[in-house]
Amino acid sequence: MTDHLEVRSGAYYDSVSLMQVSRQVASASGVEAAQVAMATELNLEVIGGMGFVVPDGVQPNELVVAIRATDDEGVANGLSALDSALAALKSAGSRSGGFGDAPAPRTLGRAIAAGEANLALVSVPGQYATIEAFDAINRGVSVMLFSDNVSVEDEVRLKDAAAASDVLVMGPDCGTAVVAGVALGFANVVERGPVGIVAASGTGGQQVMALLDAAGVGVSHCLGVGGRDLSAAVGGRSTRQALAALAADSATESILVVSKPPALEVLADLEGYAAGLGKPVHWATLGAGRPDLTAAVEAFLSATGLAVPTWPSWQPIPNPASLKDRGDQEPHDPSGSVGSAGEGRYLRGLFCGGTLADEAMLVASGELGGIRSNIPLAPELALDGDLRADDHVVIDFGDDGLTRGRAHPMIDPTLRLERIAAEGNDPHCGVLLLDLVLGHGAHPDPGPELADAIRGAREAARSGGRELPVVVSLTGAQGDPQGVSATAATLTAAGASVHLSNAEATRAALSLLSGTDHTGESR
């Protein structure tokens, strides 16, 4: 085994880009492991944990390259992949347009002064993010604060300062936005149109954009505000600013607010505020007794006089070997599902999107009762550190506790793929419910890897004498680079049932678990 470590100065890249670069380097021939990251305290800790020795005096604005390979040739392949990936980043940056020429100054404030930007995207470690965001706000520029690990106290201070300057803070931990047709962070490629979205949820905002896209409805802007914005502590500060901005926007005719379960008093206050804006505001805010995101979008379409479509779904292609093994004794289920749950009694949901996981638990808990999770709906349902229980389980692999020092699962799905394999071997697992989110920022082609994992889990279950139905919630728009239909075809070929609606996917999983079809009829 050969280790290579180097430090490059004058080469700053944002964390999301470097997560993708690390994955490309790790996939090079002969490379066993790779980490390419800025020399922040956390990243140095991760690289040290891999067994590399980083020299003293490395600064956070320097790039650390750590490659472990089978031999020198593997190291060379890794470095070649690194240079290609970094060159592609620079090339993509030089081709981007719509915001004017990128200025050269070394500080954010000077860059704003030298250019004509009215929006700054801040993606630096949390301990530095607040300072950079204040620098932009003080110069009258709105901020998309991609960074996490910003305290609630700093979030409130930033948002109060933004309100005083009549600008908007999107975030912190804002992963998704679309501004005047330009996708920022994890975002889908949707047509321009009359609907403005305020999203206190990244994957929730993406799910709503995907549903609107399927309904033929375009989006003027999707303004992320950070997942804590509708909490009691933050009080909807950025949601108010975003509502006011969309109300003043001539391209926006109606507004849809998307949120994880909000503080009820904050929601009530915002509903009162929205009533005086002069534009219709609709609500897709999750919570016990509230509509799921699909139902909220359907209500929005109906209220605005638009047709509610049948949401796209793709049914699984039966495994010929499986049908042969059964001797054609059991006909293929006309609903498209290959069998129902075998001896396994429990639902296992493995998600990349926290809001999609929340929604799945809210939909399923009415039928299943309490669901154990690392983001539980109630404290007593919290999973232990090993994330295992002989029970109904939903895991958010994108939670901060599982992304420390590693890429988000929408970029690097390794941890989830390992758990999918484990569920295939667990006789307690009755139905596997997964999500997959497409769009800019996500894995460039996640379908084949997930399909292989699904196929492997189903084969492992079959070897153990049971069928393992798999249902996938596929969030994506027709314009996404990965291709919604192509990705769905890849997953159905592996035996999965695929649904654009996360709520419908969850209900399909419940019907398989209980042995009923989608209408509740016994099979």
Side-chain angles (χ1 to χ4, degrees), residues 409-475:
M410 285 166 59
I411 298 172
D412 180 1
T414 302
L415 285 181
R416 187 171 73 150
L417 295 178
E418 292 172 354
R419 184 58 180 263
I420 291 171
E423 296 295 350
N425 288 299
D426 184 353
H428 296 98
C429 177
V431 176
L432 198 54
L433 175 61
L434 312 170
D435 68 341
L436 189 62
V437 183
L438 307 181
H440 288 307
H443 189 296
D445 188 16
E449 277 189 320
L450 185 58
D452 286 344
I454 291 169
R455 195 175 289 110
R458 286 172 53 79
E459 290 173 355
R462 193 171 294 118
S463 297
R466 75 189 208 281
E467 285 293 323
L468 178 59
V470 179
V471 182
V472 179
S473 160
L474 179 62
T475 295

Side-chain angles (χ1 to χ4, degrees), residues 101-122 131-143:
D101 294 332
R106 293 174 60 85
T107 68
L108 180 59
R110 289 184 179 178
I112 291 169
E116 298 179 356
N118 57 14
L119 174 64
L121 195 157
V122 175
I131 295 172
E132 297 295 339
F134 268 121
D135 202 359
I137 291 168
N138 292 339
R139 293 175 182 271
V141 170
S142 294
V143 176

Side-chain angles (χ1 to χ4, degrees), residues 450-508:
L450 185 58
D452 286 344
I454 291 169
R455 195 175 289 110
R458 286 172 53 79
E459 290 173 355
R462 193 171 294 118
S463 297
R466 75 189 208 281
E467 285 293 323
L468 178 59
V470 179
V471 182
V472 179
S473 160
L474 179 62
T475 295
Q478 287 300 321
D480 286 338
Q482 298 91 343
V484 172
S485 297
T487 301
T490 299
L491 297 175
T492 56
S497 170
V498 181
H499 300 260
L500 187 74
S501 160
N502 185 60
E504 287 190 357
T506 303
R507 292 189 176 93

Side-chain angles (χ1 to χ4, degrees), residues 138 173 180 188 267 350 395 431 458 473:
N138 292 339
D173 204 10
N188 302 99
L267 178 60
L350 309 179
I395 299 173
V431 176
R458 286 172 53 79
S473 160

Side-chain angles (χ1 to χ4, degrees), residues 144-148 170-177 184-185 199 202 223-227:
M144 179 178 174
L145 188 49
F146 190 90
S147 307
D148 56 9
M170 296 189 284
D173 204 10
C174 175
T176 298
L184 301 171
L223 304 179
V225 293

Side-chain angles (χ1 to χ4, degrees), residues 366-385:
E367 181 171 326
L368 302 181
I371 298 173
R372 304 288 300 281
S373 179
N374 62 330
I375 55 165
L377 297 179
E380 65 272 15
L381 295 172
L383 286 168
D384 294 333

Side-chain angles (χ1 to χ4, degrees), residues 173 199-204 226-228 230 258-263 284-287 293 353-356 358 362 375 396:
D173 204 10
S201 156
T203 51
R228 296 185 304 209
L230 271 67
V258 185
S259 175
K260 301 175 183 178
T285 50
L286 292 174
L293 296 180
T355 301
L356 300 179
D358 271 335
L362 287 164
I375 55 165
D396 171 20

